[in-house]
Amino acid sequence: MKNLAILMMAVSLLFVFTMVWASEEKPKHDFAGVDKCKICHKKDGVYPSWLETKHAKAWESLDEKAQKNEKCIGCHSTGTTTEGELLTGVQCEACHGAGNDYKKMSIMKDREQAIANGLLIPDENTCKKCHNENVPEEFRPKEAYNFAEMMKTGIHAKPVKEEKKEATEGK
């Protein structure tokens, strides 16, 4: 009887530990990194346009001390790959979600399937995760972040539709 009680207690503890481990928040998707995104988005002008932005240069805007400060790293980098590589700068996945599960062309061609596999469609809340009152005062722009105005300028260096139009007019 004593052995049965010990066995039952051991099974119960194992169950509790399993439930706690399973409930720990784990990322649903892994990051691929901008080098994977640019394979397709080089041709459509998105990647070259992004390279011209402050987002692309966000990591380089930090000094060495800030590059070790978790408060700065969170907004000036994208995340880490499963191998632990820090994706510096505000890369595609910082706004569009970790892309390892939606990066395939067959998935990206189907918007609903891409969203089901982790693609995020950025909105004002996406931007305000970093563009908010937590920005240190010495780095905060004089005017408050205005999502509607920023969307008029395009998230990339220039709106991609204009870029494509210019490219076709030049032919």
Side-chain angles (χ1 to χ4, degrees):
M1 191 70 166
K2 187 176 179 181
N3 287 343
L4 182 60
I6 291 172
L7 179 62
M8 294 290 284
M9 189 185 281
V11 168
S12 297
L13 284 172
L14 183 60
F15 177 76
V16 169
F17 286 127
T18 302
M19 294 308 292
V20 169
W21 178 80
S23 69
E24 286 181 17
E25 198 170 315
K26 297 175 190 75
K28 289 181 179 180
H29 305 282
D30 295 324
F31 289 100
V34 72
D35 288 340
K36 299 287 185 204
C37 301
K38 77 178 179 184
I39 292 169
C40 296
H41 290 293
K42 210 174 195 179
K43 296 172 194 159
D44 66 10
V46 172
Y47 174 75
S49 179
W50 168 80
L51 281 175
E52 297 176 32
T53 67
K54 289 182 180 180
H55 282 152
K57 299 167 185 73
W59 185 256
E60 288 77 23
S61 72
L62 298 175
D63 62 27
E64 255 184 74
K65 184 179 176 186
Q67 288 180 350
K68 293 176 180 137
N69 182 332
E70 288 297 321
K71 289 180 182 177
C72 302
I73 292 170
C75 288
H76 287 260
S77 70
T78 297
T80 55
T81 64
T82 54
E83 294 82 29
E85 174 193 0
L86 179 66
L87 300 171
T88 59
V90 181
Q91 297 183 15
C92 315
E93 295 165 291
C95 304
H96 295 287
N100 212 40
D101 296 328
Y102 67 80
K103 68 183 179 192
K104 292 180 184 173
M105 181 63 76
S106 60
I107 295 174
M108 285 296 287
K109 285 184 175 184
D110 180 340
R111 183 180 172 112
E112 287 180 32
Q113 190 178 7
I115 290 170
N117 282 281
L119 175 68
L120 302 177
I121 308 304
D123 60 12
E124 185 169 3
N125 290 329
T126 306
C127 301
K128 286 190 171 184
K129 286 179 183 175
C130 291
H131 295 278
N132 59 44
E133 64 280 348
N134 294 327
V135 174
E137 196 166 332
E138 66 265 27
F139 301 112
R140 198 175 306 153
K142 291 178 183 171
E143 294 182 26
Y145 180 78
N146 184 320
F147 179 75
E149 288 300 312
M150 290 306 294
M151 290 307 292
K152 289 178 187 175
T153 66
I155 300 304
H156 305 98
K158 51 185 168 177
V160 175
K161 288 180 183 175
E162 280 184 28
E163 229 171 57
K164 287 181 181 178
K165 183 180 172 187
E166 289 173 13
T168 55
E169 286 175 353
K171 290 183 180 179

